[in-house]
Amino acid sequence: MAETMPEPSSEPETLSTDLTGVDAWPIATPGRPVVELRGVSRTFGSVPPVEALREVDLLIYPGDWVAIVGPSGSGKSTLLNVLGCLDRPTAGAYFIDGIDVAGLSEGERTAARARSIGFVFQAFHLLAHRTALENVMLAEMYAGGERAGRRERALAALERVGLAHRRDFLPTRLSGGEQQRVAIARALLGTPRLLLCDEPTGNLDSASTESLMLLFDALARQGLTLVVVTHDEGVAGHARRIVRIVDGRLSEVSE
């Protein structure tokens, strides 16, 4: 589901952040969910139709760390696409901080995704001839962030994931775990309300996986809302909540 980031030849066009008809997004509060799914279903119109999600209800609050587990073909990727505003539900409602994103136009959904959601994937998607710092800075270039202070914000994001000392290294000189930390710093640069991670440890060894889990622990303690899709029960065991999806139906495993 990930798309690689193309290399810019010059400063790219800025992404529109016009949320026509939508007031300034409210700040998340402990009493209001960051994510709320109400009876969300997603059916693909093949023959016969495929019900990838079936009346899914889910509440995720600020600072939650939720692991989504389930077998292949269970609907995990479809759920992640809906949560990330990459796909629309066939039925039901999806709210981010009280805003019904399912009812937004394509342009509004794109702007909402850029300002409120960070993505981390199994593949790191770093430009090989750009330094760690430059790879992080690219996130703001594509999202239309202000040029002033961009380097400082990117460096602060690297510091947040414990990698500021590697800022001038190319990805080829970084370990897999370090490359994933750069990818996480890139996702954090826009201070998203929600960080969606799709099998983030899939390309890591056990030591790097454990180190990444400690980082996720720290980010969750700082109040970041994390949703991690994983096949690894050890990774899921670090989460505060585990939800399981089977045949498109979601159930809470632990809380």
Side-chain angles (χ1 to χ4, degrees):
M1 58 177 282
E3 296 182 358
T4 57
M5 181 183 292
E7 178 188 355
S9 57
S10 60
E11 190 78 8
E13 295 181 0
T14 59
L15 176 68
S16 172
T17 55
D18 178 27
L19 289 178
T20 305
V22 179
D23 294 332
W25 283 57
I27 297 174
T29 61
R32 177 174 55 215
V34 174
V35 167
E36 182 177 3
L37 300 182
R38 298 180 187 170
V40 165
S41 298
R42 181 65 171 99
T43 302
F44 294 96
S46 56
V47 180
V50 175
E51 294 183 279
L53 297 177
R54 306 184 185 196
E55 298 183 354
V56 170
D57 294 317
L58 180 64
L59 294 174
I60 300 176
Y61 290 91
D64 262 353
W65 177 7
V66 181
I68 300 174
V69 300
S72 297
S74 61
K76 297 192 304 297
S77 294
T78 301
L79 178 58
L80 199 69
N81 284 341
V82 170
L83 289 173
C85 295
L86 298 170
D87 193 12
R88 291 182 184 271
T90 307
Y94 173 29
F95 298 85
I96 298 179
D97 286 340
I99 301 295
D100 183 2
V101 295
L104 299 180
S105 69
E106 287 299 324
E108 291 169 342
R109 289 171 69 244
T110 298
R113 183 168 61 244
R115 67 187 297 171
S116 298
I117 303 171
F119 294 90
V120 177
F121 302 102
Q122 179 174 337
F124 314 128
H125 298 297
L126 303 177
L127 296 181
H129 59 286
R130 302 277 188 172
T131 66
L133 182 61
E134 289 169 341
N135 268 282
V136 175
M137 290 172 63
L138 282 173
E140 274 202 357
M141 291 174 63
Y142 282 96
E146 293 184 5
R147 188 179 299 185
R150 180 175 293 159
R151 177 183 176 87
E152 291 72 20
R153 290 189 295 272
L155 183 57
L158 283 172
E159 289 176 344
R160 192 175 180 186
V161 301
L163 214 62
H165 64 295
R166 297 286 214 179
R167 61 184 177 273
D168 295 324
F169 282 55
L170 296 175
T172 52
R173 297 186 59 197
L174 300 175
S175 69
E178 289 172 333
Q179 290 184 61
Q180 190 61 292
R181 284 174 179 257
V182 174
I184 293 170
R186 181 179 61 199
L188 294 175
L189 189 57
T191 59
R193 289 171 166 80
L194 176 66
L195 187 65
L196 298 179
C197 306
D198 189 6
E199 299 286 356
T201 62
N203 288 333
L204 304 183
D205 59 27
S206 58
S208 295
T209 293
E210 183 61 27
S211 177
L212 192 64
M213 291 303 97
L214 294 176
L215 173 61
F216 280 179
D217 285 337
L219 292 174
R221 286 196 300 270
Q222 293 169 13
L224 183 65
T225 306
L226 294 163
V227 176
V228 179
V229 169
T230 182
H231 285 95
D232 189 329
E233 294 293 337
V235 170
H238 278 264
R240 294 174 180 171
R241 295 170 55 196
I242 302 174
V243 295
R244 186 176 301 277
I245 186 167
V246 178
D247 295 332
R249 298 188 184 278
L250 203 68
S251 60
E252 192 93 18
V253 175
S254 66
E255 186 169 337

